[in-house]
């Protein structure tokens, strides 16, 4: 299935709507090639570092703090409300859990996953879903699921994927959307009433970029951070139209954006190619950020 998309000349937003939110090239601690970004329950912007650190940046941009460190390369982040932060480390092939109250870090996932890339907290089913990129050269399974209380789990979606990367649960909770970066597509994995994977379909393919991170807005549109070229896409709820939302031909403000995160109308992007987090003044709005806290 082929999907139409807008050309780079017909982007929705001009690059002037983007700005450097925090420049970490000379900060202390340094912000070095961040892969992940998330807005925390404290209102700070959290991100990962190339040396395995987890950092947080004040909403007013006044300071950056080192919160935790695993020692490898920090990939995706996901909050379990105000209880915990889960983060992936590709050196240790593990997901770590940071207790937000005590700041204690402990390995969460047992051995087995090959390249843990991006975690998603499935609050309704009390589990953590984690994409396994498997290998840069070869497709492989897939998505893992771990019990939030015990860390026990295993492969949840076993079919091969072409570098499974960023993920997002559908607002309805009945599907998991997964970036397949080197296939240039977004897969939709149905979730049945028992929480099992119930088959996958292609939600959008032939994308004009390598999809890395995704996030829904309040209207059900799917926003996609593309590692190459440096652009953000917006895909309609039915998957039939993908448009270039904003891009940077110079790869400076948007420098190989990977994970993305909404905070109201602000859209934050990590930039694996540089030393900063970008803030985009979007023309949309995200779902209520902490709606799941009351459910947990």
């Amino acid at each position: 299935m082929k999907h139409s998309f807008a050309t780079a000349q017909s982007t929705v937003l001009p690059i002037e709507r983007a700005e450097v939110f925090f420049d970490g090239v000379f900060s202390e601690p340094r912000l070095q090639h961040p892969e992940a970004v998330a807005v925390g329950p404290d209102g700070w912007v959290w991100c990962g570092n190339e040396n395995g650190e987890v950092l947080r940046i004040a909403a007013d941009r006044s300071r950056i703090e080192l919160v935790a460190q695993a020692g490898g390369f920090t990939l995706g982040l996901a909050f379990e409300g105000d209880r915990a932060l889960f983060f992936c480390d590709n050196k240790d092939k593990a997901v770590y859990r940071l207790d937000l109250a005590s700041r204690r870090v402990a390995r969460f996932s047992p051995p087995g996953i090959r390249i843990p890339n991006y975690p998603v907290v499935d609050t309704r089913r009390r589990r953590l879903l984690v994409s396994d990129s498997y290998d840069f050269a070869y497709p492989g399974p897939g998505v893992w699921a771990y019990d939030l209380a015990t860390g026990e789990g295993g492969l949840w979606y076993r079919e091969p994927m072409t570098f499974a990367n960023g993920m997002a649960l559908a607002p309805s909770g009945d599907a998991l959307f997964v970036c397949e970066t080197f296939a240039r597509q977004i897969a939709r994995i149905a979730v049945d009433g028992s929480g099992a994977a119930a088959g996958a379909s292609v939600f959008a393919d032939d994308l004009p970029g390598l999809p890395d991170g995704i996030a829904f807005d309040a209207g059900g549109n799917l926003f996609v951070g593309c590692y190459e070229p440096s652009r953000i896409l917006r895909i309609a709820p039915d998957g039939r139209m993908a448009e270039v939302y904003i891009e940077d031909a110079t790869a400076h403000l948007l420098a190989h954006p990977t994970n993305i995160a909404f905070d109201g109308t602000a859209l934050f992007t990590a930039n694996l190619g540089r030393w900063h987090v970008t803030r985009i003044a979007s023309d949309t709005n995200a779902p209520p950020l902490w709606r799941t806290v009351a459910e947990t």
Side-chain angles (χ1 to χ4, degrees), residues 129-159:
L129 299 169
V130 182
S131 60
D132 187 347
S133 298
Y134 191 78
D135 194 282
F136 280 93
Y138 305 101
V143 179
W144 294 63
Y146 304 98
D147 184 274
L148 280 177
T150 66
E152 297 176 353
L155 266 174
W156 175 76
Y157 182 73
R158 297 176 173 273
E159 297 303 315

Side-chain angles (χ1 to χ4, degrees), residues 64-106:
I64 183 171
E65 296 180 358
L66 172 63
V67 181
Q69 185 167 15
F73 194 116
T74 303
L75 300 178
L77 311 173
F79 285 95
E80 182 195 1
D82 57 2
R83 294 192 183 100
L85 173 72
F86 295 92
F87 63 97
C88 297
D89 185 290
N90 69 344
K91 179 183 178 181
D92 293 338
K93 304 181 186 302
V95 180
Y96 285 90
R97 183 184 187 275
L98 167 67
D99 185 283
L100 293 177
S102 68
R103 296 291 177 91
R104 178 176 176 271
V105 175

Side-chain angles (χ1 to χ4, degrees), residues 15 228-231 247-257 273-274 276:
I15 191 59
E228 176 63 29
S230 295
R231 56 175 47 154
E247 76 166 348
D248 186 352
T250 68
H252 280 79
L253 278 175
L254 295 175
H256 306 295
R274 292 183 71 85
H276 66 270

Side-chain angles (χ1 to χ4, degrees), residues 200-282:
S201 59
V202 175
F203 174 68
D205 66 355
D206 195 29
L207 294 174
L210 298 176
D212 195 292
I214 51 179
F216 283 100
D217 73 1
N221 299 291
L222 188 66
F223 284 70
V224 184
C226 289
Y227 172 78
E228 176 63 29
S230 295
R231 56 175 47 154
I232 308 295
L233 309 179
R234 180 169 62 184
I235 304 177
D238 62 5
R240 294 184 178 275
M241 179 67 182
E243 58 190 348
V244 178
Y245 187 68
I246 189 170
E247 76 166 348
D248 186 352
T250 68
H252 280 79
L253 278 175
L254 295 175
H256 306 295
T258 46
N259 295 166
I260 60 178
F262 275 107
D263 184 13
T265 58
L267 178 61
F268 293 93
T269 79
N271 295 284
L272 191 57
R274 292 183 71 85
W275 305 271
H276 66 270
V277 171
T278 299
R279 181 186 183 277
I280 300 166
S282 75

